[in-house]
Amino acid sequence: MIIYKSEKEIELMKKSSQIVARILSELRELVKPGIETRELDFYAEKRTIELGARPAFKGYNGYPASLCVSVNEEIVHGIPSDRKLKEGDIVSLDFGVIYDGYYGDAAITVPVGQVSDLARKLIAVAESSFYRGMEQMKEGNRLSDISAAVQAEVERAGFSVIRAFVGHGIGQKLHEEPQVPNFGLPGHGPKLRRGLVLAIEPMIAAGKWEVEILDDGWTAVTKDRSLAAHFEHTVALTGEGPVILSVDNQPTGIPESGGPANA
Ligand code: MF3
Ligand code: CO
């Protein structure tokens, strides 16, 4: 059952989603060669508490950290560790909080210093495919119109869409119905209507879409070890069309990155 949100609930979800966006844009600035991935996790957790929220992922199905940090061929659910990022890596940061009873969830993929043209293109396509999907999130369309638009954008670029993980409804739970695959034929699934709130999250690979889970039981990598990228926002369908809730439009005293977290 899909839980549609009132305007008031969407305002509340804007709060939690803004906290996520703000912390992600701060994390983007911290990504440098030499930083340990666990330092990013500690920072995210500290800022979450400072801003009056709670991390959404810690303890979720036993996940051990507040932030997911996935490097290069890691797609999602990378566990922060003493691994140091190095020049040329790309790193996906996936983060969620709960604030006032509502969840927010977003992800970005960030280059570490100078990266290859392929890596840059992959990051850009993860992001643009999100926007192509979001554009289909309008009243009267069907759910799989979003999925098909994401897939078309990714495959047009010669990349592939990860099948094993999907976007999701979000609200008083981190994962609500419906699931939002990043692939499929258009014209299927429930009709979209006002009050729907989705975490739309393309996960894409430079190579093939098959995945493998590492021995830690969490980290998902591309089976062919090709580079992967992830981009996610929490989006509400309103009377004015789709609105991204996970944007940071509060003053922070920290320079705006202008990057995808604030797009
Ligand atoms: N953004 C991911 C998702 O929507 C995060 C879940 S990670 C977990 O599924 F650790 F909480 F499982
Ligand atoms: Co999500």
Side-chain angles (χ1 to χ4, degrees):
M1 193 195 59
I2 297 176
I3 302 167
Y4 297 90
K5 278 77 181 178
S6 67
E7 282 180 32
K8 204 174 133 229
E9 289 179 291
I10 289 173
E11 281 308 306
L12 287 171
M13 294 195 70
K14 197 178 271 179
K15 283 292 299 179
S16 56
S17 300
Q18 278 176 354
I19 291 171
V20 172
R22 189 201 285 208
I23 292 173
L24 279 177
S25 67
E26 293 173 9
L27 289 169
R28 173 191 292 282
E29 306 302 319
L30 290 176
V31 168
K32 296 268 157 48
I35 193 165
E36 293 178 4
T37 59
R38 65 182 173 189
E39 293 180 69
L40 299 171
D41 178 57
F42 297 152
Y43 181 87
E45 186 168 317
K46 184 189 82 179
R47 288 291 285 142
T48 301
I49 307 303
E50 276 173 15
L51 296 171
R54 277 187 298 123
F57 301 167
K58 201 165 201 172
Y60 187 91
N61 290 333
Y63 185 72
S66 295
L67 182 70
C68 297
V69 185
S70 308
V71 183
N72 296 336
E73 74 279 6
E74 298 173 358
I75 306 159
V76 283
H77 302 163
I79 300 177
S81 72
D82 61 0
R83 174 177 186 167
K84 285 186 163 74
L85 297 178
K86 57 180 183 7
E87 180 96 16
D89 285 343
I90 62 172
V91 60
S92 301
L93 307 174
D94 186 358
F95 189 55
V97 305
I98 179 167
Y99 181 85
D100 228 349
Y102 287 86
Y103 285 90
D105 187 5
I108 55 176
T109 300
V110 182
V112 183
Q114 284 297 322
V115 302
S116 67
D117 288 346
L118 175 69
R120 250 196 307 276
K121 183 177 170 200
L122 190 72
I123 292 172
V125 171
E127 188 172 342
S128 63
S129 67
F130 162 84
Y131 286 101
R132 295 296 83 74
M134 186 185 79
E135 285 161 10
Q136 295 300 317
M137 188 177 170
K138 51 191 183 195
E139 286 182 274
N141 269 8
R142 290 189 184 269
L143 186 67
S144 82
D145 295 335
I146 299 172
S147 311
V150 170
Q151 181 178 17
E153 172 78 356
V154 173
E155 294 182 353
R156 194 174 61 81
F159 298 143
S160 59
V161 158
I162 301 298
R163 266 69 165 160
F165 301 96
V166 297
H168 49 95
I170 179 168
Q172 290 181 279
K173 290 195 180 148
L174 175 61
H175 295 139
E176 294 184 354
E177 287 182 38
Q179 293 196 354
V180 187
N182 295 301
F183 59 95
L185 296 174
H188 294 270
K191 273 206 172 151
L192 306 181
R193 61 176 182 85
R194 227 175 270 203
L196 179 67
V197 183
L198 299 177
I200 301 176
E201 49 179 319
M203 286 148 274
I204 74 172
K208 299 208 182 83
W209 55 262
E210 285 87 354
V211 313
E212 218 174 274
I213 306 296
L214 298 185
D215 286 340
D216 63 18
W218 279 101
T219 311
V221 300
T222 52
K223 201 167 180 186
D224 64 8
R225 300 302 191 264
S226 64
L227 284 181
H230 184 194
F231 190 76
E232 176 180 24
H233 273 301
T234 298
V235 185
L237 181 47
T238 74
E240 276 82 62
V243 173
I244 301 179
L245 302 183
S246 43
V247 285
D248 174 18
N249 49 21
Q250 292 174 320
T252 60
I254 290 166
E256 292 290 316
S257 72
N262 292 316

